[in-house]
Amino acid sequence: MPVAAVLEPYVYEGGVHKHGLIIELLEDLGGYLVQSTPAATEINLVMLIPRKDVPLMEELAKNILGKLTRAPLTGTEIAVVSPTLAYHHLPHSACDVAEHLRRDGANTNMLGLARGMGRRVALSQDYERKLINEHDIAVYSFGNFSDCIMNKKPKLFSGVDVPIVATGGPDLSTDDVEGADVYVGGIGRVSHRLRNEGEIDSLDVLNKTVGEVVDKLREEISRDPLAVLPARVMKEIKEQVPEINDVLTPAPITLQLDGMRVKLPFDQFHEKLEQLDLDEDVSLSDVANIMPSKMKDYILIKIRRRSETGFTI
């Protein structure tokens, strides 16, 4: 079978009236549209573009007065986890962490762990651990006290199997935070949104650090490639399961490094996805595990490696 093109993650920002030209060229080049987010007269298109064709897309974007920038976290789903006393809303810093990660293409989900009177049940059930483990990476947003971050918060890493990036206010080393794969300081709990120059710099460091973790995960996957690209499966779902177009969330299909979350009811649609036609005599169930997600009643798809299937498509 032919070798798949290397895909590069980019985001296009420009006017709504000419974005169809970008999508048309992307399809002609064999790329994939991951997400489209319109806003008034502007639109953001998150894309995977064949590496050799990026200059063509850059030229078109320039000609129609748009901007094409690399989005290194495209195709990832990240859990932003924060201990909180709040019932309805997480601390400002956790929101800013999630927002900044999305700027580089990531999809994020906010998870609050009960503290205070609820601390005895935080991570006491497999549900919370399994929900975090459905993501590519977990970013923990902690507070301002070194002793708490070093000696108490690592308990919240118990049972979490995905890479852990911990953040907090103090300037600590990763070795100080047992169980974290990496620690990023300068992002503590404050009563305002993180908008000061130093705070933005710390968020930029976080994105760079998360990007390095993602690169390591991608490198590991490349040693035993997935049987099919997640973006290819997403494209087939959009073409063969028309109900996905009725889902009102901005990302009805959320890509992950080794699969995706499909925001359709599992009981109603899992058999249809299992029978999804990918190639001659190859259906999705031949190359992926399709299971109920811990998030609502969604569907979680995890693609098997070439060593498991014996082939790639």
Side-chain angles (χ1 to χ4, degrees):
M1 294 186 179
V3 177
V6 177
L7 300 175
E8 294 288 347
Y10 279 83
V11 60
Y12 166 80
E13 300 173 76
V16 172
H17 60 294
K18 290 189 176 180
H19 78 283
L21 296 174
I22 293 288
I23 296 176
E24 183 179 338
L25 178 59
L26 183 68
E27 293 175 347
D28 290 344
L29 297 175
Y32 297 95
L33 178 64
V34 176
Q35 187 172 337
S36 173
T37 307
T41 60
E42 300 290 313
I43 192 166
N44 281 12
L45 304 176
V46 181
M47 304 175 289
L48 293 170
I49 308 170
R51 178 179 291 170
K52 64 182 179 63
D53 297 319
V54 169
L56 293 175
M57 191 65 77
E58 288 176 328
E59 182 179 0
L60 175 59
K62 182 179 179 180
N63 289 341
I64 61 176
L65 305 181
K67 182 172 67 172
L68 192 70
T69 54
R70 199 166 188 278
L73 301 182
T74 296
T76 65
E77 188 178 37
I78 298 174
V80 178
V81 185
S82 180
T84 176
L85 293 170
Y87 182 76
H88 292 292
H89 203 278
L90 295 181
H92 287 309
S93 56
C95 298
D96 292 322
V97 163
E99 178 184 313
H100 212 72
L101 291 169
R102 289 195 295 271
R103 292 183 183 183
D104 275 351
N107 272 288
T108 60
N109 292 313
M110 309 282 288
L111 281 75
L113 301 180
R115 308 309 295 150
M117 291 298 292
R119 65 186 179 273
R120 293 183 180 178
V121 300
L123 277 180
S124 64
Q125 299 179 357
D126 280 343
Y127 169 79
E128 291 174 309
R129 292 188 181 91
K130 288 179 178 177
L131 180 55
I132 294 172
N133 285 331
E134 287 186 1
H135 295 75
D136 292 308
I137 296 172
V139 175
Y140 281 75
S141 177
F142 293 143
N144 302 320
F145 299 103
S146 298
D147 178 70
C148 187
I149 293 173
M150 292 189 295
N151 299 316
K152 297 181 180 180
K153 291 299 189 283
K155 296 176 183 178
L156 298 178
F157 304 154
S158 175
V160 175
D161 300 326
V162 297
I164 293 171
V165 178
T167 71
D171 183 16
L172 304 173
S173 72
T174 297
D175 291 339
D176 291 329
V177 187
E178 184 178 356
D181 291 275
V182 65
Y183 173 83
V184 178
I187 309 175
R189 296 283 176 85
V190 292
S191 59
H192 60 267
R193 299 297 301 272
L194 301 179
R195 293 292 184 267
N196 297 333
E197 183 177 354
E199 294 166 343
I200 296 298
D201 289 344
S202 295
L203 290 172
D204 287 341
V205 171
L206 172 64
N207 276 29
K208 182 176 182 293
T209 302
V210 172
E212 291 168 353
V213 175
V214 168
D215 287 342
K216 290 180 181 178
L217 292 172
R218 286 182 171 137
E219 181 180 349
E220 187 275 327
I221 291 174
S222 71
R223 291 195 287 268
D224 184 10
L226 301 175
V228 61
L229 291 174
R232 164 73 186 280
V233 177
M234 178 187 67
K235 180 176 181 291
E236 297 296 343
I237 292 174
K238 289 181 178 178
E239 292 180 356
Q240 298 182 44
V241 186
E243 292 87 350
I244 198 68
N245 298 312
D246 297 328
V247 177
L248 299 179
T249 67
I253 302 173
T254 303
L255 289 187
Q256 301 173 342
L257 292 175
D258 61 351
M260 67 203 63
R261 192 187 312 277
V262 182
K263 297 174 182 177
L264 289 172
F266 177 83
D267 289 343
Q268 186 176 350
F269 286 97
H270 74 94
E271 291 183 355
K272 194 167 187 176
L273 290 184
E274 289 168 1
Q275 297 165 11
L276 195 77
D277 185 21
L278 296 178
D279 205 349
E280 186 176 355
D281 297 325
V282 178
S283 62
L284 184 58
S285 62
D286 295 322
V287 297
N289 298 323
I290 301 155
M291 62 200 88
S293 169
K294 292 296 180 182
M295 183 178 293
K296 299 186 177 180
D297 58 349
Y298 296 154
I299 302 169
L300 187 68
I301 297 174
K302 290 295 183 180
I303 300 170
R304 303 185 196 115
R305 304 293 185 93
R306 181 170 62 190
S307 61
E308 298 176 83
T309 63
F311 62 90
T312 59
I313 56 175

